[in-house]
């Protein structure tokens, strides 16, 4: 990770790398369609500008790197039914364009059932709460005051477990030691400033906040190395990104179902299969 531990810090370095390599980045130009000939060779793209004007940009080779289909509810329902009702925490522009264009050209796809979820998306703040909080000793509690999974199983797997709880919600519960640990993460500090963290002097007060039976919650917390005061964040399961996409070979060339390559179409990142 970059020192800032933020996506903005990473993006700034990628922009600097593109500038240093002399790569022109054309923004605010949304591709609407691929222009091809009878042999399925891509001749260029048609894109739209914010003022409504359309432009045609020709190419010798086209690389699709427009991410996956997490922002396309119809594709999520079709390929990831267990995440159909999950919040999508990625960019709305990840609308499956690469997959749809590839299908129009007769391309093969693969790994469409693969994705990364996250079981710790704060609501209503809409913020990621680092799973490191769980790995260091925090627990997840449902509306009945019960733990419902092994938190060390992984944050992606946890998304389905959280969504299966009453209301599709859970509470991350932790103590002062873990609060101090989590505050090293800028995203956590922002979520805390937005009111995501609620603190309680006793387990009974936490139970009242959750709306569960106090005896049940005390039994759940018994034997854990959590001390009062207790802190809680209301979370749900979210879809972060899809991992299926156009089938490619080791050179990123897009494949047809028979294994042959399309003439000049490449795919990478979330637009292609796998990681």
């Amino acid at each position: 990770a970059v020192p800032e531990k933020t996506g903005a810090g990473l993006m700034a370095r990628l922009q600097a790398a593109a500038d240093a390599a002399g790569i022109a980045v054309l923004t605010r130009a949304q591709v609407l369609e691929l222009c091809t000939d009878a042999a399925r060779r891509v001749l260029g793209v048609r894109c739209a500008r914010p003022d409504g004007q359309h432009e045609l940009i020709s190419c010798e080779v086209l690389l699709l790197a427009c991410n996956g289909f997490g922002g396309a509810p119809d594709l999520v329902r079709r390929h990831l039914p267990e995440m159909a009702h999950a919040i999508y925490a990625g960019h709305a522009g990840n609308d499956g364009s690469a997959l749809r264009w590839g299908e129009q050209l007769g391309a093969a796809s693969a790994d469409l059932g693969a994705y990364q979820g996250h079981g710790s998306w704060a609501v209503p703040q809409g913020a990621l709460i680092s799973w490191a909080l769980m790995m260091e000793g925090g627990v997840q509690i449902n509306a009945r005051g019960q733990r419902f999974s092994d938190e060390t199983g992984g944050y992606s797997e946890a998304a389905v477990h959280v969504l299966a709880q009453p209301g599709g919600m859970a509470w991350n519960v932790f103590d002062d030691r873990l609060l101090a640990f989590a505050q090293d993460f800028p995203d956590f500090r922002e979520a805390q400033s937005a009111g995501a963290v609620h603190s309680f002097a006793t387990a009974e007060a936490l139970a009242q906040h959750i709306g569960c039976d106090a005896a049940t919650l005390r039994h759940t917390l018994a034997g854990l190395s959590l001390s009062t005061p207790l802190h809680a964040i209301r979370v749900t399961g979210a879809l972060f990104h899809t991992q299926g996409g156009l089938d490619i070979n080791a050179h990123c060339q897009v494949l047809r179902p028979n294994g042959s390559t399309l003439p000049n179409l490449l795919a990478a990142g979330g637009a292609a299969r796998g990681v």
Side-chain angles (χ1 to χ4, degrees), residues 5 11 43 78 92 96 108 117 123 147 151 160 165 170 182 184 192 209 215 229 235 240 258 269 273:
K5 299 181 182 178
M11 291 303 295
L43 305 177
R78 185 191 313 172
V123 287
R147 289 175 77 183
E151 294 89 354
V160 175
Q165 302 313 302
D184 283 340
Q192 186 176 15
H209 176 75
V235 299
F240 267 43
N258 65 6
R273 66 177 300 185

mmCIF file of all heavy atoms in Angstrom, residues 5 11 43 78 92 96 108 117 123 147 151 160 165 170 182 184 192 209 215 229 235 240 258 269 273:
data_model
loop_
_atom_site.group_PDB
_atom_site.id
_atom_site.type_symbol
_atom_site.label_atom_id
_atom_site.label_comp_id
_atom_site.label_asym_id
_atom_site.label_seq_id
_atom_site.Cartn_x
_atom_site.Cartn_y
_atom_site.Cartn_z
ATOM 1 N N LYS A 5 -2.271 4.987 2.746
ATOM 2 C CA LYS A 5 -3.282 3.926 2.899
ATOM 3 C C LYS A 5 -4.638 4.366 2.352
ATOM 4 O O LYS A 5 -5.682 4.037 2.902
ATOM 5 C CB LYS A 5 -3.430 3.498 4.365
ATOM 6 C CG LYS A 5 -2.163 2.917 4.989
ATOM 7 C CD LYS A 5 -2.421 2.508 6.422
ATOM 8 C CE LYS A 5 -1.161 1.975 7.084
ATOM 9 N NZ LYS A 5 -1.392 1.627 8.502
ATOM 10 N N MET A 11 -4.125 6.513 -6.692
ATOM 11 C CA MET A 11 -4.494 7.085 -7.983
ATOM 12 C C MET A 11 -3.547 8.220 -8.391
ATOM 13 O O MET A 11 -3.229 8.385 -9.573
ATOM 14 C CB MET A 11 -5.937 7.599 -7.933
ATOM 15 C CG MET A 11 -6.978 6.495 -7.820
ATOM 16 S SD MET A 11 -6.878 5.274 -9.157
ATOM 17 C CE MET A 11 -7.303 6.294 -10.566
ATOM 18 N N LEU A 43 -12.220 -1.147 -35.229
ATOM 19 C CA LEU A 43 -11.682 -0.012 -35.975
ATOM 20 C C LEU A 43 -11.551 1.230 -35.106
ATOM 21 O O LEU A 43 -10.749 2.117 -35.395
ATOM 22 C CB LEU A 43 -12.575 0.296 -37.170
ATOM 23 C CG LEU A 43 -12.834 -0.878 -38.127
ATOM 24 C CD1 LEU A 43 -13.800 -0.453 -39.227
ATOM 25 C CD2 LEU A 43 -11.530 -1.394 -38.710
ATOM 26 N N ARG A 78 -27.904 -12.140 -12.415
ATOM 27 C CA ARG A 78 -27.718 -13.322 -13.250
ATOM 28 C C ARG A 78 -26.538 -14.172 -12.791
ATOM 29 O O ARG A 78 -26.636 -15.400 -12.712
ATOM 30 C CB ARG A 78 -27.500 -12.904 -14.706
ATOM 31 C CG ARG A 78 -27.417 -14.077 -15.680
ATOM 32 C CD ARG A 78 -26.929 -13.648 -17.052
ATOM 33 N NE ARG A 78 -27.613 -12.446 -17.543
ATOM 34 C CZ ARG A 78 -27.235 -11.796 -18.647
ATOM 35 N NH1 ARG A 78 -26.189 -12.209 -19.345
ATOM 36 N NH2 ARG A 78 -27.885 -10.726 -19.032
ATOM 37 N N ALA A 92 -20.086 3.365 -9.990
ATOM 38 C CA ALA A 92 -21.261 3.067 -10.806
ATOM 39 C C ALA A 92 -20.899 2.824 -12.268
ATOM 40 O O ALA A 92 -21.651 2.174 -12.998
ATOM 41 C CB ALA A 92 -22.267 4.208 -10.699
ATOM 42 N N GLY A 96 -20.375 -3.328 -16.631
ATOM 43 C CA GLY A 96 -20.335 -4.513 -17.469
ATOM 44 C C GLY A 96 -20.143 -4.236 -18.942
ATOM 45 O O GLY A 96 -20.381 -5.117 -19.777
ATOM 46 N N ALA A 108 -15.646 -15.190 -25.588
ATOM 47 C CA ALA A 108 -15.959 -16.082 -24.473
ATOM 48 C C ALA A 108 -15.757 -15.335 -23.160
ATOM 49 O O ALA A 108 -15.020 -14.349 -23.086
ATOM 50 C CB ALA A 108 -15.060 -17.309 -24.517
ATOM 51 N N GLY A 117 -16.450 -9.612 -1.946
ATOM 52 C CA GLY A 117 -17.383 -8.876 -1.121
ATOM 53 C C GLY A 117 -16.674 -8.335 0.105
ATOM 54 O O GLY A 117 -15.467 -8.491 0.266
ATOM 55 N N VAL A 123 -23.241 1.389 7.773
ATOM 56 C CA VAL A 123 -24.485 2.022 7.329
ATOM 57 C C VAL A 123 -25.064 2.855 8.471
ATOM 58 O O VAL A 123 -24.970 2.465 9.629
ATOM 59 C CB VAL A 123 -25.523 0.964 6.893
ATOM 60 C CG1 VAL A 123 -25.143 0.358 5.571
ATOM 61 C CG2 VAL A 123 -25.699 -0.127 7.930
ATOM 62 N N ARG A 147 -23.153 -14.103 17.952
ATOM 63 C CA ARG A 147 -22.166 -14.250 16.892
ATOM 64 C C ARG A 147 -22.712 -15.280 15.905
ATOM 65 O O ARG A 147 -23.408 -16.210 16.292
ATOM 66 C CB ARG A 147 -20.821 -14.710 17.438
ATOM 67 C CG ARG A 147 -20.077 -13.648 18.231
ATOM 68 C CD ARG A 147 -18.813 -14.204 18.840
ATOM 69 N NE ARG A 147 -17.739 -14.348 17.872
ATOM 70 C CZ ARG A 147 -16.549 -14.870 18.155
ATOM 71 N NH1 ARG A 147 -16.292 -15.335 19.377
ATOM 72 N NH2 ARG A 147 -15.608 -14.954 17.237
ATOM 73 N N GLU A 151 -15.102 -14.962 12.393
ATOM 74 C CA GLU A 151 -14.642 -13.724 11.763
ATOM 75 C C GLU A 151 -13.282 -13.863 11.090
ATOM 76 O O GLU A 151 -12.937 -13.039 10.236
ATOM 77 C CB GLU A 151 -14.593 -12.590 12.794
ATOM 78 C CG GLU A 151 -15.939 -12.161 13.339
ATOM 79 C CD GLU A 151 -16.367 -12.958 14.568
ATOM 80 O OE1 GLU A 151 -15.655 -13.936 14.920
ATOM 81 O OE2 GLU A 151 -17.406 -12.625 15.158
ATOM 82 N N VAL A 160 -21.562 -12.561 2.740
ATOM 83 C CA VAL A 160 -22.738 -13.428 2.630
ATOM 84 C C VAL A 160 -23.305 -13.737 4.008
ATOM 85 O O VAL A 160 -24.521 -13.765 4.209
ATOM 86 C CB VAL A 160 -22.381 -14.723 1.880
ATOM 87 C CG1 VAL A 160 -23.564 -15.678 1.861
ATOM 88 C CG2 VAL A 160 -21.944 -14.403 0.457
ATOM 89 N N GLN A 165 -28.189 -12.410 7.967
ATOM 90 C CA GLN A 165 -28.714 -12.097 9.293
ATOM 91 C C GLN A 165 -30.008 -11.283 9.191
ATOM 92 O O GLN A 165 -30.317 -10.726 8.142
ATOM 93 C CB GLN A 165 -27.659 -11.332 10.103
ATOM 94 C CG GLN A 165 -26.346 -12.062 10.265
ATOM 95 C CD GLN A 165 -26.543 -13.508 10.694
ATOM 96 O OE1 GLN A 165 -27.143 -13.777 11.737
ATOM 97 N NE2 GLN A 165 -26.040 -14.441 9.893
ATOM 98 N N ALA A 170 -25.450 -6.335 10.828
ATOM 99 C CA ALA A 170 -24.722 -6.831 11.994
ATOM 100 C C ALA A 170 -24.032 -5.639 12.650
ATOM 101 O O ALA A 170 -24.050 -4.518 12.123
ATOM 102 C CB ALA A 170 -23.703 -7.893 11.601
ATOM 103 N N ALA A 182 -7.630 0.792 15.259
ATOM 104 C CA ALA A 182 -8.354 1.134 14.032
ATOM 105 C C ALA A 182 -8.146 2.587 13.638
ATOM 106 O O ALA A 182 -8.199 2.928 12.455
ATOM 107 C CB ALA A 182 -9.839 0.847 14.209
ATOM 108 N N ASP A 184 -5.616 4.188 13.329
ATOM 109 C CA ASP A 184 -4.451 4.381 12.465
ATOM 110 C C ASP A 184 -4.845 4.430 10.992
ATOM 111 O O ASP A 184 -4.045 4.829 10.151
ATOM 112 C CB ASP A 184 -3.433 3.254 12.674
ATOM 113 C CG ASP A 184 -2.628 3.426 13.954
ATOM 114 O OD1 ASP A 184 -2.574 4.558 14.464
ATOM 115 O OD2 ASP A 184 -2.057 2.428 14.427
ATOM 116 N N GLN A 192 -15.573 7.383 11.716
ATOM 117 C CA GLN A 192 -15.841 7.766 13.098
ATOM 118 C C GLN A 192 -16.327 9.208 13.172
ATOM 119 O O GLN A 192 -17.275 9.520 13.909
ATOM 120 C CB GLN A 192 -14.580 7.579 13.939
ATOM 121 C CG GLN A 192 -14.802 7.824 15.426
ATOM 122 C CD GLN A 192 -13.556 7.530 16.249
ATOM 123 O OE1 GLN A 192 -12.446 7.414 15.719
ATOM 124 N NE2 GLN A 192 -13.728 7.391 17.554
ATOM 125 N N HIS A 209 -29.073 -0.780 22.623
ATOM 126 C CA HIS A 209 -28.844 -0.115 21.336
ATOM 127 C C HIS A 209 -29.143 -1.063 20.183
ATOM 128 O O HIS A 209 -29.794 -0.671 19.196
ATOM 129 C CB HIS A 209 -27.396 0.370 21.269
ATOM 130 C CG HIS A 209 -27.022 0.976 19.947
ATOM 131 N ND1 HIS A 209 -27.433 2.228 19.558
ATOM 132 C CD2 HIS A 209 -26.275 0.476 18.918
ATOM 133 C CE1 HIS A 209 -26.954 2.490 18.352
ATOM 134 N NE2 HIS A 209 -26.252 1.452 17.939
ATOM 135 N N ALA A 215 -29.202 -10.658 28.359
ATOM 136 C CA ALA A 215 -28.605 -11.913 28.825
ATOM 137 C C ALA A 215 -27.949 -12.654 27.672
ATOM 138 O O ALA A 215 -26.872 -13.255 27.828
ATOM 139 C CB ALA A 215 -29.660 -12.778 29.499
ATOM 140 N N PRO A 229 -15.211 0.236 28.186
ATOM 141 C CA PRO A 229 -16.425 0.409 27.391
ATOM 142 C C PRO A 229 -16.345 -0.353 26.064
ATOM 143 O O PRO A 229 -15.267 -0.643 25.563
ATOM 144 C CB PRO A 229 -16.475 1.924 27.153
ATOM 145 C CG PRO A 229 -15.037 2.342 27.203
ATOM 146 C CD PRO A 229 -14.396 1.475 28.255
ATOM 147 N N VAL A 235 -23.158 -2.487 10.433
ATOM 148 C CA VAL A 235 -22.595 -2.784 9.115
ATOM 149 C C VAL A 235 -23.520 -3.720 8.338
ATOM 150 O O VAL A 235 -24.392 -4.390 8.893
ATOM 151 C CB VAL A 235 -21.197 -3.427 9.224
ATOM 152 C CG1 VAL A 235 -20.215 -2.488 9.908
ATOM 153 C CG2 VAL A 235 -21.263 -4.774 9.953
ATOM 154 N N PHE A 240 -17.826 -5.541 -3.585
ATOM 155 C CA PHE A 240 -16.762 -4.589 -3.914
ATOM 156 C C PHE A 240 -16.366 -4.655 -5.378
ATOM 157 O O PHE A 240 -16.286 -3.647 -6.046
ATOM 158 C CB PHE A 240 -15.548 -4.809 -3.007
ATOM 159 C CG PHE A 240 -15.574 -3.938 -1.794
ATOM 160 C CD1 PHE A 240 -16.753 -3.765 -1.095
ATOM 161 C CD2 PHE A 240 -14.448 -3.290 -1.353
ATOM 162 C CE1 PHE A 240 -16.809 -2.942 0.029
ATOM 163 C CE2 PHE A 240 -14.487 -2.466 -0.231
ATOM 164 C CZ PHE A 240 -15.662 -2.293 0.455
ATOM 165 N N ASN A 258 -14.019 -21.114 -29.014
ATOM 166 C CA ASN A 258 -13.193 -22.196 -29.559
ATOM 167 C C ASN A 258 -11.704 -22.030 -29.270
ATOM 168 O O ASN A 258 -10.882 -22.819 -29.735
ATOM 169 C CB ASN A 258 -13.426 -22.343 -31.061
ATOM 170 C CG ASN A 258 -12.974 -21.122 -31.859
ATOM 171 O OD1 ASN A 258 -12.380 -20.189 -31.317
ATOM 172 N ND2 ASN A 258 -13.266 -21.118 -33.154
ATOM 173 N N GLY A 269 -7.466 -6.358 -16.167
ATOM 174 C CA GLY A 269 -8.115 -5.901 -14.948
ATOM 175 C C GLY A 269 -9.489 -6.526 -14.798
ATOM 176 O O GLY A 269 -9.715 -7.676 -15.166
ATOM 177 N N ARG A 273 -11.152 -12.103 -17.083
ATOM 178 C CA ARG A 273 -11.396 -13.134 -16.079
ATOM 179 C C ARG A 273 -10.299 -13.139 -15.021
ATOM 180 O O ARG A 273 -9.162 -12.735 -15.274
ATOM 181 C CB ARG A 273 -11.447 -14.507 -16.747
ATOM 182 C CG ARG A 273 -10.116 -14.941 -17.334
ATOM 183 C CD ARG A 273 -10.180 -16.342 -17.918
ATOM 184 N NE ARG A 273 -10.543 -17.330 -16.903
ATOM 185 C CZ ARG A 273 -10.566 -18.649 -17.136
ATOM 186 N NH1 ARG A 273 -10.238 -19.111 -18.340
ATOM 187 N NH2 ARG A 273 -10.904 -19.478 -16.191
#
